[in-house]
């Protein structure tokens, strides 16, 4: 009886620790989304506004070009940071610890990358995806592998069409 009680106590401690970790992951992802995300969105909106206002001004074109270039760089940087932040939030959130969530996020990423690069693509995903729970590290590393492969296709392949099979 003492042995069983001791074993149960250890299991409760482990489960409580896991629950606390998941709560912390949820809090961090929510805080990042609320604070950093809103600030970056504001930067994007402000840079867009400045860019539009400057296009309407009667400033000498030579004076305007460097400013527009800087504003465009600010906007691009903010968008890049927002994208990276979305990846971090996705990787931290416990509700995304499934194979189905990983595949869904990969599909979203592939769509954004290939459409912006003008590459036709087809993704074949099985109709039935097993209900598998993935560790946050595995999920993030698997996504980073796919991300690197997609980036290499976009940058180096000169492909006009890509076919992807998920199995």
């Amino acid at each position: 009886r003492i042995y069983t009680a001791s074993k149960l106590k250890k299991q409760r401690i482990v489960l409580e620790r896991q629950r606390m970790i998941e709560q912390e992951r949820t809090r961090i992802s929510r805080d990042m989304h609320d604070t950093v995300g809103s600030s970056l969105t504001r930067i994007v909106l402000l840079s867009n506004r400045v860019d539009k206002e400057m296009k309407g001004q009667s400033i000498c074109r030579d004076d305007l070009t460097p400013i527009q270039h800087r504003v465009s760089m600010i906007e691009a940087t903010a968008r890049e940071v927002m994208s990276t932040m979305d990846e971090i939030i996705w990787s931290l959130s416990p509700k995304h610890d499934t194979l189905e969530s990983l595949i869904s996020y990969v599909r979203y990423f592939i769509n954004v990358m290939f459409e912006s690069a003008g590459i036709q693509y087809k993704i074949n995903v099985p109709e039935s995806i097993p209900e598998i729970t993935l560790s946050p590290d595995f999920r993030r590393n698997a996504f980073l592998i796919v991300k690197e492969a997609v980036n290499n296709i976009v940058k180096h392949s000169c492909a006009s069409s890509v076919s992807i099979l998920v199995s």
Side-chain angles (χ1 to χ4, degrees), residues 6-7 28 46-47 50 71-72 76 87 91 125 128 145 153 160:
S6 173
K7 192 173 178 180
I28 291 169
L46 288 170
S47 61
V50 169
V71 169
S72 295
E87 287 177 26
S91 70
V125 178
S128 176
I145 290 167
I153 290 168
S160 59

Side-chain angles (χ1 to χ4, degrees), residues 78-94:
R79 287 186 191 282
E80 186 178 308
V81 172
M82 285 174 59
S83 176
T84 302
M85 185 189 69
D86 285 344
E87 287 177 26
I88 292 168
I89 290 169
W90 173 80
S91 70
L92 283 172
S93 180

